[in-house]
């Protein structure tokens, strides 16, 4: 039985969960919004893992994954942090959110254009988005200025040339 469709279903699960996170953020159900982002991250891990195990990686899957990731780990976390924690941050909150989103998109585009390697160049948007989302609910007393600094740091780390390890090559079959 061919299971080549399974990785794309995980990617679509990632996208759907990211979209639900946006919905729950708008509904001011922030814990559920965070949960959707965390579940999207699990789907994001499984789509690539399954594609490698089933030997059905494709350019389509790579592009679909990036589109899902910009929603689930770019847009959803920035909405969550912006509406929940940075609502009173005036213009700097939206500016930091847009900067994070732009850096995430640049990171994904660079990844899609690069040759396969054993690691990542720059922090993956999945990691940055999950960290940003976790901060939103971690400590209610965290000052907005510190959150903005952290957003800027995560943004710069995504577009940096800093190497980050990846375990994906250990699942490739020869």
């Amino acid at each position: 039985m061919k299971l080549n469709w399974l990785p794309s279903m995980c990617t679509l699960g990632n996208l759907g969960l990211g979209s639900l996170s946006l919905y729950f953020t708008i509904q001011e159900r922030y814990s559920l919004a965070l949960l959707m982002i965390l579940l999207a991250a699990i789907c994001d891990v499984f789509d690539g893992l399954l594609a490698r195990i089933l030997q059905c990686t494709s350019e389509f899957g790579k592009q679909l994954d990036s589109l899902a990731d910009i929603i689930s780990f770019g847009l959803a976390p920035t909405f969550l942090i912006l509406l929940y924690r940075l609502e009173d941050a005036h213009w700097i909150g939206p500016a930091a959110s847009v900067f994070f989103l732009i850096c995430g998109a640049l990171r994904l585009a660079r990844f899609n254009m690069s040759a396969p390697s054993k690691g990542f160049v720059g922090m993956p948007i999945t990691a940055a988005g999950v960290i940003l989302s976790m901060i939103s609910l971690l400590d209610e007393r965290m000052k907005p200025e510190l959150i903005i600094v952290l957003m800027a740091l995560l943004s710069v780390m995504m577009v940096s040339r800093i190497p980050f390890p990846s375990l994906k090559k250990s699942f490739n079959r020869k």
Side-chain angles (χ1 to χ4, degrees):
M1 177 194 296
K2 286 211 171 224
L3 299 173
N4 293 1
W5 52 270
L6 205 50
S8 290
M9 292 307 293
C10 287
T11 302
L12 294 174
N14 168 1
L15 177 60
L17 289 161
S19 300
L20 283 173
S21 176
L22 290 165
Y23 171 77
F24 288 128
T25 296
I26 292 166
Q27 296 293 317
E28 298 181 359
R29 298 172 71 187
Y30 303 117
S31 295
L32 278 174
L34 172 62
L35 178 61
M36 295 302 110
I37 292 169
L38 296 176
L39 291 174
I42 292 169
C43 288
D44 189 47
V45 168
F46 276 110
D47 66 3
L49 178 64
L50 287 170
R52 287 184 291 281
I53 289 171
L54 297 171
Q55 297 180 331
C56 60
T57 58
S58 68
E59 190 60 31
F60 174 82
K62 189 177 188 180
Q63 299 302 324
L64 182 62
D65 183 65
S66 289
L67 292 170
D69 287 354
I70 197 68
I71 299 298
S72 297
F73 311 113
L75 193 59
T78 57
F79 260 67
L80 177 59
I81 203 90
L82 187 60
L83 296 180
Y84 184 50
R85 298 300 300 279
L86 299 178
E87 200 168 24
D88 298 327
H90 306 292
W91 65 270
I92 194 89
S97 295
V98 168
F99 184 62
F100 183 90
L101 193 58
I102 288 170
C103 288
L106 289 170
R107 166 65 179 81
L108 289 166
R110 183 175 66 195
F111 175 76
N112 284 353
M113 297 298 296
S114 65
S117 68
K118 293 185 179 188
F120 296 111
V121 176
M123 177 180 271
I125 191 173
T126 304
V130 167
I131 291 168
L132 183 61
S133 301
M134 297 286 288
I135 286 164
S136 69
L137 298 175
L138 194 58
D139 186 356
E140 297 285 328
R141 298 167 293 159
M142 187 181 284
K143 300 218 178 286
E145 296 82 9
L146 185 57
I147 294 171
I148 289 168
V149 167
L150 186 63
M151 282 179 79
L153 179 63
L154 289 169
S155 300
V156 169
M157 288 175 69
M158 282 191 285
V159 295
S160 74
R161 297 287 180 181
I162 298 170
F164 285 81
S166 171
L167 301 175
K168 65 183 175 184
K169 289 296 179 187
S170 62
F171 294 105
N172 278 346
R173 293 184 181 177
K174 300 280 178 188

